[in-house]
Amino acid sequence: MTTHLRYRLDTLESLGSGIGDQQLVSELAEIREKLAQEKINLVVLGLFKRGKSSLVNSLLGCPLAPVGVTPLTAIITSFEHDPEKSFARVCFNDGRHLDTAVAGISAYVSEEENPANEKGVSVVRIFDRVLPVLQTMTLIDTPGLGSAYTHNTATTLDFIPRIDAALFVLSADLPVSQADIEFLKTLRQTVPAILFVLNKKDLLSGNELRQLLVHDQRIIVEQVGLSPGEVQIIPVSARDFQQGKHASANIDALRDRIRAILEEGGGALFEEVIARRIGRACEHLRFLLRLRLETLQLPVQELGDRRRRLEEIPRLLDSQKDDFEVLLRGQARRLQDHVRDVLQKESDILREGLSDKILSVSGNAESFRDKCAVLTKEILDRLESARSSLEVDVKERFDHLLRQYAGQPDSFLWQVTRQFSEVMGLPFDIIAKKFDLEVYAPYYQSTDAGPLPAPKSSLFRRSPFQSIRRKRFYRRLLAYYQELILRNCASAMYNLDYRIQESLRKFASALDQRLRELIGHLDALLAEAVALQAGYAPALAENIQKIREKLDAVDDLQQSLHPITQPSDHGAVR
């Protein structure tokens, strides 16, 4: 089935030999291992606290993935089949690995026991010899996005190119958010198959669940650009499954959907996945070859000049970095002021209409709590929507600011960008890391605004005396909801304020590190070119010709992959 892809991989490895790029070598090795296994990676994805790890355990049928009250999974964790024994393999960034009992993996995958991944774990692989589901696929649990831990989000985003099929987890306790939508847009560009599941369905009544499913599907269809048939959301309850309520949990329906994809389109989907990864490796090799070709074609004198100018960049970083960070701090204050203004306006709007909404809570004591629950949810949903929209807005504002600043002559970024562009023709996007807002800042919506006033049955009787009591009661209810709005606005302001400040600090540090990595890479490349040109001309001409031939071969190879990577029924977003 995959013989032609193995041949293409062999060809690519041959073309990339001698380049000395570790990223390319690692990627090709991963593709070869995947070809040998011929298994689809089904990756569980979604925002934090959606119950992803509990869902993984339900799909497996046993509690292999650790779960907890706080965001727990901090490391990519795969669940694979082994015919001989069950164990866990902890793989480290430096290439080492440690085999251990499955019960001990929390020491490596949890944020509490491995904060900020200080142990340098790259992935934890859990092998099991019994579970039948793992004989047909590899199930992968990922850190949740948007939690308080920036490295968790980065870990998941970095893993996207390795995803064959995604199981995107929504939750019944919160409608689909703008953060969900943005993540889905990113997934759609790379992942050939996406399944949708809504966890925690046990929290809603049948009618509420139907309404939420219709709402979430409509938002995803409209904002991600999918058809309704591509967004078939399966409601499940991992909690019910773990409590033995298998019928109501609906996990079997989800398993059937996964099995259908693997059995009906698995072969074609697997080929498309491998072809896409080989294609991305081709793009990376093309970039390296073109960079090498352009360097070799420069005159020796210009190469020497470029090396000297390259050496100036670290001095530029050291001399102007402080001024750049002062600018960032100033922009942080502006972004924070913008957040406060928007949330304050949202708070004012909610409070202006609050009195009318409070009066609508009238009726009888039996329906009072239901109506209050609806009002509370409406307030919290509106504030969460405002917070999510602000996240997107702040990122866009910062990106615009960065590009604007990079275009100002004599600014720090303008000088750095110009230096890299003139030395090696590198664009701004390669130099700068994106501002992501994903840093430590705990955020949970609060429903604790003091005790909710509870009316007595007699309060709703028609009498002058009860009318006075009702007015007092509604004043207390109004004060309760004003406090609820105030608390949650303050919580959202703090969350975004802190994340803006820390994101800018992290951005400055990451930019400095990224620039120095590029300097080292380009300096080595220029040194190699200078050494070649110091020899005799035929050797230089021969190297240039070989690189051109490799570039042509890479183009031919990628063109041969084109029919395999075209969208098809099995590869549609689901």
Side-chain angles (χ1 to χ4, degrees), residues 395-531:
K395 292 176 189 178
E396 290 176 350
R397 283 170 177 261
F398 181 74
D399 186 65
H400 175 72
L401 158 77
L402 204 61
R403 294 179 183 279
Q404 193 176 44
Y405 180 63
Q408 295 177 2
D410 298 327
S411 71
F412 168 76
L413 279 185
W414 180 83
Q415 292 185 59
V416 170
T417 302
R418 181 175 60 87
Q419 291 275 32
F420 272 91
S421 177
E422 291 180 0
V423 172
M424 297 307 298
L426 293 178
F428 177 77
D429 285 342
I430 290 181
I431 297 172
K433 278 184 173 283
K434 289 185 184 268
F435 173 78
D436 58 19
L437 267 185
E438 304 296 346
V439 297
Y440 178 81
Y443 175 75
Y444 296 99
Q445 283 195 317
S446 171
T447 56
D448 182 17
L452 179 68
K456 296 181 179 179
S457 299
S458 60
L459 186 68
F460 297 102
R461 295 173 186 164
R462 295 181 178 277
S463 71
F465 177 71
Q466 296 299 343
S467 175
I468 296 173
R469 292 183 61 192
R470 275 198 301 274
K471 288 180 181 179
R472 291 175 181 170
F473 173 76
Y474 282 129
R475 281 198 295 268
R476 289 168 52 208
L477 196 59
L478 180 64
Y480 171 85
Y481 278 108
Q482 286 175 335
E483 178 67 15
L484 183 74
I485 293 169
L486 179 64
R487 282 174 180 256
N488 283 282
C489 274
S491 178
M493 283 182 191
Y494 169 78
N495 174 263
L496 288 170
D497 276 0
Y498 186 85
R499 290 166 65 192
I500 287 169
Q501 178 183 340
E502 285 300 292
S503 291
L504 288 168
R505 181 194 60 76
K506 187 189 75 169
F507 173 85
S509 174
L511 178 63
D512 181 76
Q513 180 182 354
R514 176 65 168 149
L515 289 172
R516 294 183 190 277
E517 287 173 356
L518 279 171
I519 289 168
H521 175 74
L522 296 180
D523 189 54
L525 190 58
L526 288 171
E528 179 186 355
V530 169

Side-chain angles (χ1 to χ4, degrees), residues 346-360:
E346 199 67 31
S347 173
D348 292 343
I349 291 171
L350 282 171
R351 285 187 292 174
E352 283 174 7
L354 198 55
S355 294
D356 292 338
K357 290 183 181 296
I358 292 297
L359 292 175
S360 71

Side-chain angles (χ1 to χ4, degrees), residues 72 85 109 130 151 181 199 202 247 277 310 366 373 403 432 441 466 483 504 558:
L72 184 65
K85 61 178 180 177
V109 304
V130 177
H151 47 279
I181 296 301
N199 195 15
D202 54 288
R277 290 192 67 170
L310 206 57
E366 287 72 24
R403 294 179 183 279
Q466 296 299 343
E483 178 67 15
L504 288 168
Q558 192 155 28

Side-chain angles (χ1 to χ4, degrees), residues 84-96:
E84 298 180 358
K85 61 178 180 177
S86 299
F87 67 102
R89 173 164 293 168
V90 182
C91 303
F92 297 93
N93 293 328
D94 60 8
R96 294 179 298 115

Side-chain angles (χ1 to χ4, degrees), residues 187-298:
L187 282 181
R188 194 188 180 199
Q189 297 172 7
T190 306
V191 179
I194 303 178
L195 297 85
F196 294 89
V197 60
L198 181 110
N199 195 15
K200 307 182 184 181
K201 79 182 187 72
D202 54 288
L203 298 179
L204 302 178
S205 66
N207 187 50
E208 290 172 333
L209 180 60
R210 285 188 290 272
Q211 290 178 359
L212 182 61
L213 289 171
V214 170
H215 170 272
D216 283 1
Q217 183 190 51
R218 178 178 60 81
I219 295 298
I220 293 172
V221 166
E222 291 176 356
Q223 298 194 29
V224 181
L226 305 175
S227 69
E230 293 172 320
V231 189
Q232 299 177 21
I233 307 173
I234 300 175
V236 302
S237 171
R239 176 186 293 176
D240 279 359
F241 186 86
Q242 291 163 5
Q243 293 176 351
K245 305 173 185 176
H246 292 182
S248 63
N250 208 34
I251 295 295
D252 285 341
L254 179 59
R255 287 174 176 163
D256 290 343
R257 183 69 181 280
I258 293 170
R259 190 179 302 113
I261 289 180
L262 295 180
E263 292 178 356
E264 296 171 11
L269 175 61
F270 182 77
E271 288 201 354
E272 181 178 343
V273 164
I274 295 296
R276 284 182 181 227
R277 290 192 67 170
I278 292 176
R280 287 194 292 269
C282 284
E283 286 291 340
H284 184 59
L285 178 57
R286 180 186 287 110
F287 170 76
L288 296 171
L289 289 171
R290 284 180 175 171
L291 195 59
R292 189 175 296 264
L293 179 62
E294 291 168 4
T295 304
L296 287 176
Q297 291 176 314
L298 292 172

Side-chain angles (χ1 to χ4, degrees), residues 371-397:
K371 291 182 178 181
C372 282
V374 170
L375 178 56
T376 299
K377 186 175 186 302
E378 180 183 332
I379 291 171
L380 295 180
D381 285 352
R382 176 152 185 165
L383 289 176
E384 172 58 21
S385 176
R387 190 185 73 91
S388 296
S389 297
L390 271 171
E391 285 187 354
V392 177
D393 185 31
V394 166
K395 292 176 189 178
E396 290 176 350
R397 283 170 177 261

Side-chain angles (χ1 to χ4, degrees), residues 51-94:
K52 293 186 298 301
S53 296
S54 296
L55 183 59
V56 166
N57 285 335
S58 297
L59 286 171
L60 292 172
C62 65
L64 289 182
V67 295
V69 176
T70 58
L72 184 65
T73 309
I75 303 295
I76 299 292
T77 308
S78 69
F79 301 87
E80 308 172 48
H81 176 71
D82 186 280
E84 298 180 358
K85 61 178 180 177
S86 299
F87 67 102
R89 173 164 293 168
V90 182
C91 303
F92 297 93
N93 293 328
D94 60 8

